[in-house]
Amino acid sequence: MKDNKKNKALYIIYIALMFVFFYLPIVVMMVFSFNSSKSLTNMAGFSFRWYGRLISDGSIMKAVYVSLTIAILATIISTVLGTITAIGLSKSRKIVRDVILNINNIPIMNPDIVMAISLMILFSSIVMAKGYLTMLLAHIAFCTPFVITSVYPKVRQLDPSIADAAMDLGATPFEALIKVIIPMLRDGIFAGILLSFTMSFDDFVISYFVTGNGVENISIVVYNMTKRTNPTINALSTIVVLVIAILIILSRLIPAMLKGTVKKILSVLLVVLICFTAFTGLKSSGKVLRIFNSGEYLDPELIENFEKEYDCKVIYETFDSNESMYTKLMSGSEYDILIPSDYMIERLIKEKELQPIDWSLITHKDDIDPKNMGYPYDPDNTYSVPYFVGTVGILYNKNTVDPEDLKDGWELLRNPKYAGNIYMYDSERDSFMIALKALGYSMNTTNKDEIQEAYEWLIDQKKNMDVVYAGDDVMDNMISGNKDIAVVYSGDGAYIMAENDELAYFDPSEGTNEWCDAMVLTKDCRDKELAEQFMDYMLEYDVVVQNTDFVGYTTPVTQVREDLKDTDYEGINAYTPEFGAENNEVFRYQDSETRQLFSDLWTKVKAY
């Protein structure tokens, strides 16, 4: 008896620990959604700050609408298609049934990225404008197989004579389907509905590649938010969790809500939703500007102000990397303005994807720091207007890092005193840049022996220093003081130092990556004049101040940069890089062979 009680107690403990493991991260996230500071790990005080920002952010609310409507419509359509297909399969010949079921399993077994690229190519090949409709069709395509898989086993359990019996009793074939067959498949259909809605509402990869014209769902918006520390994510996620919890409770406590009058009301609301969705976006102004920019890299309020000032509509989309931007552009997606990085601009110039800028329309040209003009990728700035600039350097704790060790430059990252206490930036280009500069080579080298030496430098560092390769999460980790040294972009360094005054930043004397992100015109730009007006608008003093405050990176506009040094903007210009330093370089275009060599060696470094 005692053993049974002991086993029961252990079983309860195991169950409790399992639930803690599942739900503790959600609880922590919900607690930090009320944090008054920007930190995702340090609780500074209670505040509704991020909920207010969430409600006022029109892009997030629009994304919620897109996610909900897409999920609801995709669920309804895929459930109807999947159920009808499952019933039809039960009446098909065995060979037909086996072939279709095997084909049905392909989208389920395939990685999302394969289906995403396939659908993107399909829509591009049939010249179908990407947007709400393409996202909806894509969601229907990947949800339907899950419905078939859920419903078909229930169909096989049915007695084949049930439908015949119903029709013998006077039912029409349609009545037999609706009143007899469908109710008996209810459990499988509900399982398909839940799967479809969850898969659609949660999807990111497929949605990202098939959307366009400024249509983004929650997953895309949240993913772009993660490129910078943005606690609004916690507030949004908390609301989603609470809504789901409330719906689950109501579905248990009020089962009658799905019957009678409420059922009719829900049906009417669904029809209204479909009609509203169908006509959304039909009204638009005559002038449209399509912008493709990195996530969290432009204050949304500035877009609204530009629309009002120039009486136009701005379709604003975001990407997570230069490479994904390039992929979407090559797949047929059309934009007027891109904001890529230096090396990608050079690649687009070489591939004739850009058109020259009429600098006579850029009235604020003289406000740009000459040091941020004339970079090697575009020597005469024929194609590019600088947007944000900076360097890659070393952020360190002033209390624990010996100032004498800073003289070692990049070799500081291999100093045994700091083993296990270093964040490297999880970037192939920047990591190899560090190694090449430490060895005294150009970061744009194509010499295989020099590249091999850089690879060995990184392997030696990883083996002896126990470094951690981190992405944008390095910002919150350094604010929290988790390690003493980190490789960061200067703009991120400024942001981090504003939150933690024990940190400082420097560019090693061996030289570093001096980067520049710039605005460019695509060859397919439909309204060149409006696009150049936007470029000029983004160089206006007040606009630059607001955007720099929002993004936190260094502006190429000299006067703004100087003025912000004397202000109390959080994270702005806590450090201003010395541009044009003798050993600094800008990343240049790499030929395919060199790109492949770096990629192969980087894979080995990460796998070591």
Side-chain angles (χ1 to χ4, degrees):
M1 182 67 72
K2 290 182 178 180
D3 288 341
N4 288 338
K5 289 183 178 179
K6 183 178 179 181
N7 291 336
K8 186 176 182 180
L10 287 172
Y11 178 75
I12 293 174
I13 292 173
Y14 291 150
I15 294 295
L17 290 174
M18 181 183 70
F19 275 97
V20 169
F21 177 77
F22 286 156
Y23 294 105
L24 183 59
I26 296 177
V27 173
V28 171
M29 173 203 70
M30 296 175 74
V31 170
F32 275 93
S33 70
F34 299 101
N35 190 7
S36 60
S37 80
K38 293 182 179 179
S39 176
L40 299 178
T41 55
N42 288 333
M43 193 71 182
F46 185 87
S47 172
F48 287 101
R49 172 185 180 183
W50 307 114
Y51 287 90
R53 181 171 172 179
L54 173 65
I55 294 172
S56 63
D57 192 333
S59 63
I60 295 179
M61 303 311 295
K62 181 181 177 182
V64 171
Y65 164 77
V66 170
S67 289
L68 283 174
T69 55
I70 289 285
I72 291 172
L73 294 175
T75 298
I76 293 172
I77 297 172
S78 62
T79 299
V80 172
L81 292 176
T83 302
I84 292 174
T85 302
I87 295 173
L89 286 175
S90 67
K91 304 296 184 180
S92 302
R93 296 172 58 187
K94 185 178 185 304
I95 187 171
V96 174
R97 183 168 61 248
D98 290 344
V99 169
I100 293 178
L101 287 175
N102 285 326
I103 293 174
N104 184 69
N105 289 332
I106 293 176
I108 297 174
M109 300 296 292
N110 262 342
D112 282 352
I113 188 65
V114 174
M115 190 167 188
I117 298 296
S118 302
L119 288 167
M120 179 182 69
I121 294 173
L122 172 64
F123 294 138
S124 297
S125 63
I126 61 176
V127 197
M128 187 173 187
K130 297 183 183 68
Y132 191 94
L133 181 58
T134 54
M135 186 186 290
L136 176 60
L137 292 175
H139 282 228
I140 293 171
F142 72 75
C143 286
T144 301
F146 288 94
V147 176
I148 295 173
T149 302
S150 300
V151 175
Y152 182 68
K154 291 293 181 182
V155 175
R156 293 192 61 187
Q157 295 175 9
L158 292 180
D159 186 338
S161 61
I162 289 179
D164 295 333
M167 287 186 285
D168 287 342
L169 293 173
T172 64
F174 183 75
E175 288 175 331
L177 175 66
I178 299 300
K179 296 183 178 180
V180 179
I181 303 299
I182 297 297
M184 298 184 72
L185 302 176
R186 182 176 56 188
D187 291 342
I189 293 173
F190 282 169
I193 290 173
L194 292 175
L195 269 174
S196 297
F197 185 85
T198 303
M199 294 286 293
S200 176
F201 192 80
D202 184 60
D203 178 72
F204 163 72
V205 176
I206 295 175
S207 300
Y208 182 81
F209 282 95
V210 301
T211 190
N213 290 313
V215 177
E216 295 180 328
N217 60 10
I218 290 178
S219 298
I220 296 174
V221 170
V222 168
Y223 181 75
N224 288 328
M225 282 183 178
T226 62
K227 308 311 290 181
R228 302 278 287 170
T229 302
N230 192 334
T232 310
I233 299 173
N234 292 342
L236 176 62
S237 302
T238 298
I239 291 175
V240 170
V241 170
L242 291 177
V243 169
I244 292 173
I246 291 171
L247 290 176
I248 291 174
I249 292 171
L250 290 177
S251 67
R252 293 293 182 182
L253 297 180
I254 318 175
M257 69 179 293
L258 298 177
K259 298 180 181 179
T261 305
V262 176
K263 184 177 179 181
K264 295 178 181 178
I265 293 174
L266 290 176
S267 300
V268 172
L269 289 176
L270 182 60
V271 172
V272 172
L273 175 65
I274 295 173
C275 293
F276 180 75
T277 300
F279 290 99
T280 295
L282 290 181
K283 182 182 179 181
S284 62
S285 60
K287 296 192 294 184
V288 176
L289 184 65
R290 303 161 300 169
I291 302 173
F292 204 21
N293 192 9
S294 182
E296 295 287 290
Y297 215 33
L298 196 160
D299 188 342
E301 185 179 332
L302 295 175
I303 295 178
E304 296 175 10
N305 295 341
F306 180 81
E307 289 177 323
K308 293 176 183 177
E309 183 175 345
Y310 289 89
D311 188 27
C312 65
K313 170 67 177 175
V314 174
I315 297 175
Y316 184 70
E317 292 184 45
T318 56
F319 55 82
D320 65 320
S321 69
N322 285 282
E323 286 67 31
S324 64
M325 178 275 297
Y326 180 82
T327 300
K328 289 201 74 173
L329 187 66
M330 293 300 103
S331 73
S333 297
E334 295 185 352
Y335 304 97
D336 300 312
I337 294 178
L338 306 175
I339 307 182
S341 299
D342 32 48
Y343 71 94
M344 184 55 68
I345 294 174
E346 184 172 10
R347 181 175 185 178
L348 294 173
I349 293 172
K350 288 181 179 294
E351 296 179 4
K352 303 187 184 306
E353 293 294 331
L354 305 181
Q355 60 176 298
I357 293 167
D358 183 356
W359 278 96
S360 65
L361 298 178
I362 311 300
T363 61
H364 297 87
K365 175 184 178 180
D366 294 337
D367 297 337
I368 302 173
D369 188 342
K371 292 181 180 179
N372 300 134
M373 298 282 281
Y375 284 115
Y377 63 87
D378 186 14
D380 300 319
N381 284 95
T382 304
Y383 299 94
S384 60
V385 177
Y387 183 69
F388 278 117
V389 292
T391 59
V392 175
I394 297 177
L395 188 72
Y396 65 96
N397 190 311
K398 294 180 289 187
N399 300 323
T400 57
V401 176
D402 188 342
E404 288 297 314
D405 293 335
L406 303 181
K407 297 177 182 178
D408 296 335
W410 292 116
E411 285 296 335
L412 174 68
L413 303 176
R414 292 205 302 177
N415 190 325
K417 290 166 57 176
Y418 308 108
N421 216 2
I422 297 174
Y423 286 118
M424 287 286 285
Y425 197 67
D426 192 1
S427 163
E428 172 193 318
R429 280 179 170 265
D430 290 315
S431 294
F432 271 96
M433 177 276 293
I434 291 169
L436 288 166
K437 284 296 185 182
L439 293 167
Y441 302 135
S442 167
M443 68 187 201
N444 291 306
T445 183
T446 57
N447 185 299
K448 293 182 179 179
D449 292 334
E450 293 177 355
I451 296 172
Q452 182 65 31
E453 281 189 61
Y455 162 72
E456 292 169 359
W457 191 98
L458 291 171
I459 289 294
D460 178 74
Q461 182 203 36
K462 194 168 185 183
K463 178 173 64 175
N464 297 317
M465 297 298 294
D466 190 27
V467 297
V468 174
Y469 281 93
D472 292 311
D473 55 317
V474 71
M475 297 172 66
D476 207 58
N477 282 313
M478 289 302 289
I479 291 172
S480 303
N482 292 340
K483 294 188 186 297
D484 292 333
I485 298 174
V487 175
V488 297
Y489 289 110
S490 55
D492 291 339
Y495 174 91
I496 296 167
M497 287 187 289
E499 297 288 323
N500 185 341
D501 57 11
E502 295 181 350
L503 302 175
Y505 177 100
F506 79 103
D507 286 331
S509 59
E510 302 100 319
T512 184
N513 167 22
E514 184 176 316
W515 57 267
C516 176
D517 295 343
M519 298 176 282
V520 297
L521 294 175
T522 68
K523 67 178 182 181
D524 298 317
C525 179
R526 295 177 184 173
D527 194 333
K528 190 172 182 290
E529 181 180 356
L530 182 62
E532 287 165 334
Q533 287 173 334
F534 179 82
M535 290 178 171
D536 192 51
Y537 167 80
M538 292 305 299
L539 294 175
E540 293 178 9
Y541 183 90
D542 292 339
V543 172
V544 175
V545 170
Q546 182 174 337
N547 202 38
T548 305
D549 184 25
F550 178 83
V551 177
Y553 274 28
T554 306
T555 174
V557 177
T558 311
Q559 191 59 53
V560 174
R561 197 157 70 202
E562 291 300 316
D563 291 348
L564 289 182
K565 287 182 179 179
D566 303 322
T567 63
D568 193 31
Y569 280 87
E570 286 190 38
I572 307 300
N573 288 285
Y575 167 79
T576 300
E578 290 299 325
F579 295 108
E582 181 181 358
N583 295 321
N584 286 356
E585 292 182 84
V586 176
F587 275 125
R588 302 297 304 276
Y589 171 80
Q590 292 177 335
D591 58 69
S592 57
E593 182 181 355
T594 303
R595 280 202 305 271
Q596 189 60 51
L597 176 59
F598 274 112
S599 179
D600 292 343
L601 293 176
W602 178 243
T603 301
K604 293 180 181 179
V605 171
K606 294 298 294 291
Y608 184 83

